[in-house]
Amino acid sequence: MYRLSHVLQQYAWGSPTAIPELLGLPVDGSPVAEAWFGAHPSSPAHAHTAQGAVPLDELIAQDPERHLGTGVTQRFGDHLPYLLKVISAQAPLSLQVHPSPERARAGFVREEAAGIPVGAPHRNYRDRNHKPELVYALTQFEAMVGFRAPRRAAELLTDLDTPLAVELTSLLMADSTSAGVRTAFEWLLDPRTRPGQTEVAQFVEACTRRLASGSPSPRTDRTVMQLAAAYPGDAGAVTSVLLNPVTLQPGEALFVPAGAVHAYLQGTGIEVMANSDNVLRAGLTAKHVDLPELLANLDCVAAPPIRIAPEHVFTSTEIFYAPVDDFELSVTRLQEGAPTRVPGRGPRVLLCLSGAVDVVADGDGTVHLTQGQAAFVPSAEGPITASGQGVLVQADVP
């Protein structure tokens, strides 16, 4: 087993306190949006070996069979299939979609052929992988995921007497299928048709008045106002009328498949995803926006968000099985007493969320973790047990 050092991502929407306090880092007022514990080549964590700190992707490449195991290398090649993160949003993230495996591969090859550097701001595909993801809430976590039914979205617009609301209602009522939602979504965001700042401001003011006078959907109005405050004049704020709102309480989990439009609004959680950094953005961001590419990847079928209920094993562990082959997430709560078996196999990344935990592998590896510390467990180490008092999260391969 190897102790892991994280890599921080200091995006503007991050909280200045949540991740530093969890990981035991100084709070200096700078936003900290994510901490990565994985082997993505753009920001690999470092494994502490007898020879010093080594990027995790390089360590795995030295002996893929030992670190990943035969089953994983046969399915995914010589790469760790997943990426574990801590994420903390103080302000809303961009309106975004992640690609399917096929579109990610094609997009990567296309941009490579065009000579676009992988780190270029206008690059869409930084790797060949899809990016389904699961978020496990550590605090109350607010998000928007997937489309509402078209008629429900139209209902939320009926008493907002602004030109923008009238046009959106007309588009939704003209076609009450997923095609109608797509038309409305594209109309809002396409530079050729999207409403101007004045129209967006009128819509936000109408939501503000409605909220004060007894709104039929206070949550929708508050979300419009929140997004407009964070991104003034951005028509992406209006898309919240079209999208499903989601609130996770601590300990609850949400799965976001490829093609699902989403935006995380506020909260801190654990994310585990396929090992990718491919993000296609449509708005609510200062970063690169490529609406045509997002629309080519967009799933417009109205459906409720996918909440993942845990399965309880070994009395102290919950496992969240995502409907993909790349990853699963488990949470083990330890009390003082006999060592507890931690389920999972193959290459595993462990992160201690609280307390102090001793982890022992059948292959004789051992590591002591306190709050905010992490470790990588190679497949060759075999099953592991943990003891102590605290909470341990683990990403592994199903």
Side-chain angles (χ1 to χ4, degrees):
M1 282 189 280
Y2 304 93
R3 192 179 297 277
L4 280 183
S5 294
H6 55 262
V7 179
L8 298 180
Q9 308 292 353
Q10 295 183 293
Y11 309 136
W13 47 263
S15 163
T17 58
I19 290 177
E21 289 175 355
L22 176 64
L23 301 182
L25 304 174
V27 176
D28 63 7
S30 301
V32 181
E34 298 176 350
W36 290 23
F37 299 87
H40 193 277
S42 67
S43 296
H46 279 67
H48 295 267
T49 73
Q51 290 73 43
V54 179
L56 185 56
D57 57 336
E58 293 183 14
L59 178 74
I60 289 171
Q62 293 171 10
D63 192 346
E65 189 72 17
R66 165 178 162 72
H67 293 115
L68 302 179
T70 301
V72 170
T73 57
Q74 288 177 344
R75 292 157 60 197
F76 298 100
D78 295 345
H79 308 283
L80 189 67
Y82 59 81
L83 171 59
L84 181 72
K85 300 180 182 180
V86 182
I87 179 173
S88 187
Q90 182 168 277
L93 280 67
S94 59
L95 194 64
Q96 60 188 258
V97 164
H98 302 310
S100 68
E102 297 77 18
R103 294 203 65 90
R105 286 192 292 269
F108 183 86
V109 169
R110 185 171 63 249
E111 292 186 336
E112 286 288 282
I116 304 173
V118 171
H122 62 291
R123 176 97 182 207
N124 287 320
Y125 297 96
R126 301 181 186 277
D127 51 66
R128 302 171 184 269
N129 208 5
H130 66 160
K131 192 173 177 277
E133 59 192 32
L134 182 147
V135 59
Y136 171 85
L138 299 178
T139 67
Q140 183 169 302
F141 196 92
E142 304 288 345
M144 306 185 299
V145 181
F147 288 106
R148 302 180 198 254
R151 291 192 178 279
R152 174 56 181 156
E155 288 173 3
L156 297 174
L157 294 162
T158 52
D159 59 349
L160 295 175
D161 189 18
T162 74
L164 195 165
V166 170
E167 180 64 26
L168 267 185
T169 302
S170 175
L171 291 172
L172 291 167
M173 296 306 292
D175 186 348
S176 59
T177 69
S178 59
V181 171
R182 181 188 176 91
T183 298
F185 183 79
E186 184 173 355
W187 178 83
L188 274 174
L189 298 173
D190 191 317
R192 297 167 297 181
T193 57
R194 68 186 175 205
Q197 293 189 8
T198 299
E199 294 172 281
V200 172
Q202 291 173 346
F203 187 91
V204 175
E205 289 170 7
C207 289
T208 304
R209 291 194 301 270
R210 183 170 72 173
L211 181 63
S213 62
S215 173
S217 182
R219 188 178 192 179
T220 297
D221 291 341
R222 282 194 295 267
T223 301
V224 170
M225 295 161 60
Q226 177 189 6
L227 294 173
Y231 302 98
D234 192 324
V238 182
T239 64
S240 57
V241 176
L242 305 177
L243 304 180
N244 293 306
V246 181
T247 299
L248 299 179
Q249 298 302 327
E252 295 181 337
L254 172 74
F255 177 72
V256 181
V261 62
H262 63 286
Y264 297 151
L265 305 179
Q266 192 170 37
T268 301
I270 300 294
E271 269 193 308
V272 60
M273 62 198 64
N275 191 21
S276 176
D277 195 26
N278 288 329
V279 181
L280 306 168
R281 300 178 182 88
L284 304 177
T285 183
K287 294 183 178 181
H288 175 60
V289 168
D290 189 335
L291 182 63
E293 192 63 25
L294 181 142
L295 291 172
N297 285 267
L298 182 65
D299 183 351
C300 291
V301 175
I306 304 173
R307 294 173 177 266
I308 304 294
E311 292 192 18
H312 297 264
V313 298
F314 300 161
T315 70
S316 58
T317 297
E318 297 176 324
I319 303 181
F320 295 87
Y321 293 108
V324 291
D325 295 332
D326 309 69
F327 60 81
E328 62 190 18
L329 183 75
S330 66
V331 181
T332 300
R333 292 175 173 80
L334 297 163
Q335 300 294 330
E336 293 290 353
T340 298
R341 177 71 72 187
V342 179
R345 55 192 174 275
R348 287 143 288 172
V349 172
L350 306 173
L351 172 62
C352 182
L353 293 181
S354 65
V357 177
D358 291 303
V359 181
V360 179
D362 283 7
D364 292 332
T366 64
V367 68
H368 177 75
L369 300 176
T370 58
Q371 180 176 315
Q373 294 181 335
F376 174 66
V377 184
S379 177
E381 292 284 359
I384 62 174
T385 58
S387 59
Q389 189 163 6
V391 179
L392 191 69
V393 296
Q394 173 185 265
D396 70 301
V397 185

